[in-house]
Amino acid sequence: MQQILEAIQAGASSDEFANLVIPESYRAAFVKRDETAMFDGIDSWDKDPRKSLHVDDVATPELAPDEVYVAVMASSINFNTVWTSIFEPLPTFGFLDKMGRQNEWGKRHSLPYHVVGSDASGVVVHVGSAVRNWKPGDRVTVHCNYVDDQDPSAHNDSMLASNQLIWGFETNFGGLADLAVVKANQLMPKPTHLSWEEAAVNALCSSTSYRMLVGDHGARMKQGDSVLIWGATGGIGGYAVQYVLNGGGTPIGVVSSPERAELLNKMGCEAVIDRRAENYQFWSDEHTQDESEWRRFGKRIRELNGGEDVDIVFEHPGRSTMGASVFAAKRGGTIVTCAATSGYMVEFDNRHFWMKLKKLLSSHFANYAEAYAANKLLNQGRVQPLLTATYDLEHVGDAALSVHHNEAEGKLGVLCLAPEKNMGIDDPAKRERIGEEKITIFRS
Ligand code: NAP
């Protein structure tokens, strides 16, 4: 891997990259199949990713014709790596075994270890024989929608493909490693003004928020719409705020501290609810929701939103908030959801839903076109990376724990092959034009 790194740093030509030897093994972060019971009987909160995530050398898998090897300069922590590392709601080895039954190439994935990570920035070092649009030496980011495009169901909208998977979560050989195996149709050009770690943190979260709010398959926010955004300084929430502001809408951001409220104001989001300070208790006990708390929440939203209910609710906490989210959407409004961080058995009052003709929309990551559109906005400097802090791969467990415990705003980057931070900026003049302050807003 040292030779590959030197070639990247020396700006080697495509031919020089193509002649490099791919090492037989590489450094990666993974969980082990024989440790999936290690947290049995322990409370979710106390399950510690530092114990389950290992960093060591693993064997380099063979490359399928439609795949490339990417030398990963940086990656990021997503919540799916937290789920994998605490083996909830179920160990991810089941996904790998299912893949193993798909076909010959799928078999490579069913292993005693699972290399995790669903984001990456880096350099293509070798391409399979069927790859046409990418070549060794290309500087790329990687999105995590993994589909077999020879399946007819993968066309129209590839998120509806019967074999659609999330790379590094439902597949092996993910991005938290020095080398990754990805399909050519996961590649996107690296935004030229960003460092490796700034470029690495976006694809999963920004594309998810793009589909939920902007793309044809989501809530299709339009100018003037007001959007309630839970976790508005979190991974997907922070990109959602930017999409709403860019699209001429009004974000109403929900966060849990005065510092996060201030950060939202700095981003240009004026309407902010500090859910901790307001002490909403939507559930009065484990089984009962308190409608008067939904009403108190709705009243606060209207105070901030010119007396109106919101057009769209950007929902992902799940069980703890879904009742309030359905209540808070306006008559005919849309609740769009992609997750259930606090619990997936959600409950809402159907009367508020049907009598007010609301819509509940499910969303999951993004197809290639949507991920590409989101990447383009980053490359144009119209959406900023939400990098808050950067870890090295050896400390991936600390980074995952921080996300698990909701300690960090925005996104946590992880340096893989990149020896230090702030490397990989190809167009400093463009960076200056866009503005350092904007690009680093979550680090100031
Ligand atoms: P994150 O960076 O940890 O942010 C989540 C935010 O949600 C936190 O900052 C927190 O904000 C808020 N939150 C957490 N628990 C809450 C609760 N009980 N009630 C209200 N707010 C709560 O995570 P993320 O990357 O944004 O991901 C959020 C969820 O979406 C995760 O479950 C993840 O797995 C899922 N996700 C799904 C997809 C998909 O394709 N389906 C893609 C990306 C993410 P405050 O404490 O400041 O309010």
Side-chain angles (χ1 to χ4, degrees):
M1 291 307 306
Q2 187 56 32
Q3 273 184 356
I4 293 176
L5 177 59
E6 283 167 14
I8 294 169
Q9 288 177 316
S13 69
S14 187
D15 287 346
E16 285 167 332
F17 272 109
N19 288 328
L20 289 171
V21 176
I22 303 298
E24 284 175 10
S25 64
Y26 64 101
R27 193 176 59 129
F30 55 86
V31 292
K32 293 182 180 174
R33 190 185 286 266
D34 62 8
E35 290 184 350
T36 56
M38 74 191 294
F39 296 134
D40 282 1
I42 298 176
D43 243 32
S44 228
W45 185 261
D46 296 322
K47 296 179 181 174
D48 187 342
R50 292 173 302 182
K51 295 187 176 146
S52 54
L53 280 171
H54 305 271
V55 177
D56 210 337
D57 278 8
V58 297
T60 306
E62 205 185 330
L63 201 64
D66 61 346
E67 291 176 343
V68 310
Y69 289 125
V70 174
V72 182
M73 297 301 273
S75 181
S76 89
I77 302 295
N78 283 296
F79 223 94
N80 65 6
T81 291
V82 175
W83 297 126
T84 303
S85 66
I86 63 173
F87 308 109
E88 282 195 21
L90 71 183
T92 41
F93 288 95
F95 302 136
L96 304 186
D97 295 342
K98 193 170 161 203
M99 231 192 138
R101 291 190 292 272
Q102 268 185 15
N103 55 45
E104 275 308 303
W105 292 111
K107 270 189 198 155
R108 294 171 301 166
H109 292 254
S110 179
L111 291 168
Y113 55 84
H114 182 182
V115 177
V116 292
S118 299
D119 266 325
S121 68
V123 178
V124 174
V125 283
H126 192 85
V127 302
S129 57
V131 175
R132 293 172 299 281
N133 296 343
W134 303 90
K135 58 182 189 321
D138 284 345
R139 291 154 97 88
V140 295
T141 55
V142 179
H143 75 76
C144 63
N145 182 19
Y146 186 98
V147 282
D148 179 351
D149 52 19
Q150 290 178 22
D151 177 343
S153 68
H155 294 268
N156 197 4
D157 175 14
S158 62
M159 285 309 297
L160 298 184
S162 53
N163 57 13
Q164 188 279 326
L165 300 168
I166 297 295
W167 167 70
F169 178 62
E170 293 167 293
T171 81
N172 218 323
F173 320 129
L176 284 161
D178 290 343
L179 194 76
V181 175
V182 308
K183 282 187 183 283
N185 63 15
Q186 290 178 256
L187 297 175
M188 308 185 291
K190 172 189 167 289
T192 49
H193 61 293
L194 299 181
S195 67
W196 293 114
E197 62 277 14
E198 287 166 346
V201 298
N202 310 293
L204 188 146
C205 283
S206 68
S207 311
T208 301
S209 303
Y210 182 93
R211 182 179 173 104
M212 288 173 79
L213 289 177
V214 185
D216 287 348
H217 301 102
R220 302 176 79 159
M221 191 210 87
K222 50 184 198 320
Q223 292 185 35
D225 278 353
S226 52
V227 185
L228 180 79
I229 301 172
W230 290 103
T233 59
I236 53 174
Y239 293 102
V241 168
Q242 297 187 67
Y243 288 130
V244 174
L245 289 170
N246 284 355
T250 306
I252 292 119
V254 186
V255 286
S256 62
S257 72
E259 293 76 22
R260 290 182 179 185
E262 202 185 315
L263 185 54
L264 273 183
N265 289 154
K266 261 174 64 181
M267 290 173 79
C269 174
E270 288 165 17
V272 179
I273 298 177
D274 179 340
R275 66 182 171 100
R276 191 153 294 159
E278 306 265 355
N279 194 25
Y280 295 112
Q281 302 290 331
F282 300 135
W283 288 85
S284 43
D285 63 48
E286 213 183 309
H287 307 286
T288 324
Q289 296 200 62
D290 182 348
E291 189 172 324
S292 67
E293 283 293 273
W294 296 347
R295 289 189 186 283
R296 185 163 72 90
F297 183 58
K299 183 163 176 270
R300 182 76 189 113
I301 293 170
R302 283 191 293 280
E303 281 167 8
L304 293 168
N305 192 37
E308 293 181 1
D309 292 326
V310 285
D311 297 281
I312 298 168
V313 181
F314 183 88
E315 164 65 40
H316 53 94
R319 184 168 175 81
S320 60
T321 55
M322 184 59 101
S325 292
V326 169
F327 181 81
K330 76 167 191 189
R331 192 178 185 94
T334 301
I335 305 98
V336 57
T337 178
C338 74
T341 317
S342 65
Y344 49 82
M345 295 303 279
V346 298
E347 195 178 281
F348 59 84
D349 186 331
N350 204 20
R351 293 167 300 177
H352 293 300
F353 185 60
W354 97 70
M355 290 295 287
K356 302 252 172 86
L357 299 106
K358 303 182 187 189
K359 294 180 275 293
L360 179 56
L361 197 62
S362 62
S363 194
H364 185 40
F365 187 59
N367 63 33
Y368 196 8
E370 290 161 336
Y372 218 87
N375 189 64
K376 185 172 161 188
L377 289 167
L378 277 149
N379 195 26
Q380 291 172 331
R382 291 181 174 170
V383 169
Q384 309 307 330
L386 300 182
L387 180 71
T388 313
T390 305
Y391 291 69
D392 54 46
L393 188 60
E394 301 297 326
H395 292 97
V396 65
D398 295 305
L401 181 67
S402 176
V403 173
H404 179 27
H405 284 174
N406 188 14
E407 287 164 358
E409 291 79 40
K411 297 289 306 170
L412 299 183
V414 177
L415 294 182
C416 298
L417 265 184
E420 45 189 272
K421 295 190 264 188
N422 302 320
M423 297 176 74
I425 298 168
D426 300 315
D427 191 344
K430 178 177 157 195
R431 187 176 177 99
E432 209 178 308
R433 268 196 319 276
I434 292 166
E436 194 67 28
E437 219 172 274
K438 270 188 179 171
I439 297 167
T440 59
I441 189 165
F442 269 50
R443 274 165 285 166
S444 53

